[in-house]
Amino acid sequence: MILAVCIEDRGGMLFHRRRLSRDRAVAADLLREAGEGRLWISPYSLPLFPEGAAALCPAEDFLERAGPGELCFVEDRPCALWAGKAERLILYRWNRRYPADLYFDIPLESWRLLERTEFPGSSHKLLTKEVYLP
C-alpha cells in the first residue's frame, strides 16, 4: 500500500476530530496518483473529493482492505500500525502551524526521501509534497 497523509509543520493531522485544513489541489493530486487504480479512504474523507470519482473506495476498514500498490489517504487515525505494509509514503505539508491532537506517528528516520515538489493549493499559497521509500 501507499500511505498519503496531510500534516502541518509539527506533524499534526487532526484537532478535536476535525481535519486541520482541506485543499482541492491535494484531492486532485491524490486522484492523479491513484490513476486507474484505487484510492482507499475513510468515509470521513469522502466530502473532500468530487462526487462519483471512479478511484474512490470509502470504507471504515480501508487500511486493512488496501492491497499492494493501492493508495490510502489517511487523515483520521494513527498510521504507525501500517508502516510495515507501506511500500511508499506521500506527505502533503500545509507549511503552516495549526493546533492538533492527532499527530503523524511514523518516524521518518527510517525512510528515504525520493522527491519533494511544491505546488500552489486552492486554500494555501504553497503546498509541499514529499515522497518517501522505506
Side-chain angles (χ1 to χ4, degrees):
M1 83 167 56
I2 301 162
L3 292 176
V5 180
C6 293
I7 60 172
E8 54 87 57
D9 288 348
R10 293 166 296 191
M13 297 168 56
L14 280 180
F15 184 59
H16 292 292
R17 288 180 236 135
R18 292 188 313 264
R19 70 182 50 89
L20 301 182
S21 191
R22 63 172 58 200
D23 196 286
R24 287 184 307 276
V26 169
D29 193 69
L30 284 163
L31 289 169
R32 273 192 301 278
E33 281 284 340
E36 297 294 316
R38 294 179 175 173
L39 173 53
W40 289 97
I41 61 171
S42 162
Y44 174 80
S45 302
L46 198 53
L48 297 176
F49 296 92
E51 190 174 323
L56 293 180
C57 296
E60 279 300 331
D61 61 346
F62 70 103
L63 289 162
E64 290 92 356
R65 295 173 69 174
E70 293 183 327
L71 186 57
C72 292
F73 177 54
V74 184
E75 63 173 344
D76 63 344
R77 58 198 73 195
C79 298
L81 181 64
W82 307 101
K85 188 178 173 184
E87 306 152 43
R88 194 163 31 133
L89 176 62
I90 300 172
L91 292 183
Y92 293 94
R93 296 185 180 270
W94 296 126
N95 299 315
R96 292 190 187 164
R97 285 186 168 201
Y98 293 116
D101 55 13
L102 175 67
Y103 290 86
F104 181 65
D105 59 350
I106 297 176
L108 294 176
E109 293 79 26
S110 61
W111 292 76
R112 179 175 54 89
L113 179 63
L114 181 64
E115 87 182 64
R116 178 181 288 130
T117 55
E118 293 181 332
F119 61 97
S122 61
S123 63
H124 293 72
K125 185 176 180 179
L126 188 67
L127 300 170
T128 303
K129 177 182 178 181
E130 296 175 340
V131 179
Y132 293 86
L133 295 175

